[in-house]
Amino acid sequence: DSVFSNVARAPEDPILGVTVAYNNDPSPVKINLGVGAYRTEEGKPLVLDVVRKAEQQLVNDPSRVKEYIPIVGISDFNKLSAKLILGADSPAITESRVTTVQCLSGTGSLRVGAEFLKTHYHQSVIYIPKPTWGNHPKVFNLAGLSVEYFRYYDPATRGLDFKGLLEDLGAAPSGAIVLLHACAHNPTGVDPTSEQWEQIRQLMRSKSLLPFFDSAYQGFASGSLDTDAQSVRTFVADGGECLIAQSYAKNMGLYGERVGALSIVCKSADVASKVESQVKLVVRPMYSSPPIHGASIVATILKSSDMYNNWTIELKEMADRIKSMRQQLFEAIQARGTPGDWSHIIKQIGMFTFTGLNKEQVEFMTKEFHIYMTSDGRISMAGLSSKTVPHLADAMHAAVT
Ligand SMILES: Cc1ncc(COP(=O)(O)O)c(CN[C@](O)(C(=O)O)[C@@H](O)C(=O)O)c1O
């Protein structure tokens, strides 16, 4: 018999498995509110116009070849990605203190960063928010880091547990790594205010805690790329060091192209170049070099001011549509007189609403109303449209009454 006969069947991924279940449901009224992927008002995936234009330019360029790109990726892409998150006038850029490496989207950037830290950083404990993106603990554990949690979400207020956050980070061993969602916290949709970010920064710098920012939704939370980068820029402005994982999956709609970047901001240009040389030793035996196509699209858009402006317009349209879904769902629930305070639906930001519905209520909504969402009660607002809001509101009403 097979040498793999002892291999057990693994469970479906808690987030991506929702789409598998959705696809298997023949119901005409089913709605997929699971994976964080943008859908249009017609419920279809969206390829941005500016992405189509950039792709056309690339395809029509006869000089383009399919040679290997460097281990660290396309250099234009790396420079432009650093500028996007740090700001063109960032001291880290003007003093060449940041190294940026093109990685396989956000997940790949997190993994490469974690593997680098495991080998080269003196602390191997990483504090991550409670709750956080389901894949975070797996990425960091598999990289050999030990995962601890810090309080982040307060179910009672459905807001930030700022006191708990400060206590837990205050109790962390000095030098510990801390994962921070740059904006649009997944799954809660709750972000610190700029005053709270400043307090977090002071506490972390006083204990030499190492920030590892995860920026998967820049531009999606507020609709502005600069506003959504403020948390990162606040830290970098103080001259301290940090890591930043960037994803273009959502804000440029490049999900399947796997386009992202890992930036490591260091104290000096010399350290940054040594760090880059060691990150290359992580990447080469992992996947050798990243894919050329998606990063070429991003570089084409970011280096042209016209295309960059067109991108910001389309990005704001996506963010605005998600905001209008929040407003419509909130009003639909109010109209039904559904018991409870549902104002968090319009207070939370980014792609997700953390409804507060429990596992049983979620199962009920899936079974009776064909609503597909993660079992922690998170719904992707990007999966909603004006046509499907009433059906979701009916399901939520039935689930809580
Ligand atoms: C906070 C966070 N960080 C990183 C990623 C990785 O994204 P990528 O590797 O595709 O760039 C996601 C995506 N998370 C999801 O939107 C989600 O939570 O549904 C979904 O894409 C996923 O993979 O789970 C995320 O929410």
Side-chain angles (χ1 to χ4, degrees):
D1 60 350
S2 162
V3 294
F4 301 125
S5 54
N6 65 336
V7 171
R9 179 172 305 286
E12 285 288 354
D13 177 87
I15 294 174
L16 303 180
V18 171
T19 299
V20 173
Y22 168 82
N23 290 337
N24 290 337
D25 184 340
S27 161
V29 297
K30 65 182 181 179
I31 314 176
N32 186 3
L33 305 176
V35 71
Y38 184 83
R39 298 294 173 251
T40 62
E41 182 57 24
E42 294 67 43
K44 296 273 180 289
L46 176 67
V47 177
L48 302 188
D49 285 344
V50 72
V51 165
R52 291 258 191 243
K53 283 197 184 61
E55 241 174 354
Q56 270 317 308
Q57 251 183 51
L58 293 168
V59 163
N60 295 340
D61 173 358
S63 73
R64 254 176 76 76
V65 293
K66 294 202 182 285
E67 291 303 290
Y68 284 131
I69 57 180
I71 295 171
V72 294
I74 298 174
S75 128
D76 269 358
F77 166 85
N78 290 339
K79 286 187 176 47
L80 290 160
S81 291
K83 198 173 144 193
L84 183 71
I85 188 71
L86 298 176
D89 55 349
S90 168
I93 293 180
T94 50
E95 295 155 23
S96 311
R97 292 191 288 110
V98 54
T99 172
T100 303
V101 174
Q102 177 194 335
C103 291
L104 307 184
S105 215
T107 306
S109 304
L110 291 164
R111 183 63 182 269
V112 167
E115 300 274 353
F116 169 80
L117 289 171
K118 174 64 185 162
T119 308
H120 298 283
Y121 185 60
H122 62 87
Q123 267 275 16
S124 64
V125 64
I126 182 165
Y127 278 73
I128 67 179
K130 188 172 175 51
T132 190
W133 179 43
N135 214 23
H136 275 147
K138 298 170 192 167
V139 166
F140 298 127
N141 276 318
L142 283 170
L145 299 178
S146 63
V147 171
E148 296 289 341
Y149 286 88
F150 63 90
R151 277 170 285 168
Y152 187 85
Y153 178 73
D154 178 358
T157 63
R158 292 206 177 108
L160 186 69
D161 178 359
F162 190 53
K163 188 170 167 300
L165 180 152
L166 293 177
E167 275 171 22
D168 291 350
L169 293 189
S174 79
I177 307 158
V178 179
L179 181 94
L180 299 164
H181 296 232
C183 72
H185 180 268
N186 173 8
T188 67
V190 171
D191 284 357
T193 62
S194 49
E195 295 75 24
Q196 289 171 328
W197 271 121
E198 175 52 22
Q199 277 186 256
I200 294 168
R201 184 193 66 77
Q202 286 175 19
L203 170 63
M204 287 184 61
R205 292 311 192 194
S206 71
K207 291 177 60 78
S208 306
L209 301 180
L210 180 63
F212 194 158
F213 282 98
D214 181 358
S215 176
Y217 299 94
Q218 185 183 1
F220 243 101
S222 69
S224 150
L225 287 160
D226 289 324
T227 305
D228 289 353
Q230 276 322 305
S231 57
V232 173
R233 295 179 187 176
T234 302
F235 276 75
V236 174
D238 73 8
E241 300 182 306
C242 68
L243 288 85
I244 307 154
Q246 279 174 276
S247 167
Y248 289 93
K250 289 63 170 55
N251 60 14
M252 241 188 226
L254 294 175
Y255 304 91
E257 298 285 357
R258 310 310 295 142
V259 194
L262 170 70
S263 286
I264 305 181
V265 176
C266 307
K267 281 272 170 65
S268 73
D270 180 50
V271 166
S273 73
K274 285 176 185 157
V275 162
E276 177 169 305
S277 72
Q278 290 295 344
V279 172
K280 287 167 70 174
L281 301 190
V282 171
V283 170
R284 172 64 167 150
M286 192 188 286
Y287 54 83
S288 187
S289 62
I292 187 171
H293 188 62
S296 302
I297 294 172
V298 172
T300 303
I301 293 169
L302 296 185
K303 73 171 74 163
S304 143
S305 53
D306 280 353
M307 295 184 108
Y308 178 85
N309 292 333
N310 292 340
W311 175 42
T312 58
I313 292 164
E314 291 191 79
L315 178 53
K316 185 144 183 353
E317 284 166 0
M318 289 195 281
D320 287 349
R321 195 184 85 73
I322 288 176
K323 282 181 193 163
S324 83
M325 288 298 103
R326 292 183 179 285
Q327 191 57 38
Q328 289 185 35
L329 178 61
F330 177 65
E331 287 167 7
I333 287 185
Q334 297 287 83
R336 285 162 178 75
T338 307
D341 171 4
W342 296 92
S343 58
H344 55 292
I345 291 176
I346 47 180
K347 283 182 200 150
Q348 292 171 358
I349 54 174
M351 221 167 206
F352 306 108
T353 288
F354 210 41
T355 59
L357 294 167
N358 62 39
K359 206 166 152 47
E360 291 68 36
Q361 290 167 322
V362 170
E363 279 163 10
F364 167 84
M365 288 168 62
T366 304
K367 191 163 163 293
E368 301 301 324
F369 288 81
H370 307 281
I371 304 290
Y372 288 85
M373 57 197 278
T374 45
S375 59
D376 59 2
R378 184 193 86 172
I379 53 177
S380 168
M381 303 309 284
L384 270 182
S385 73
S386 311
K387 284 187 288 301
T388 55
V389 162
H391 184 56
L392 173 61
D394 289 342
M396 291 171 73
H397 186 78
V400 299
T401 47

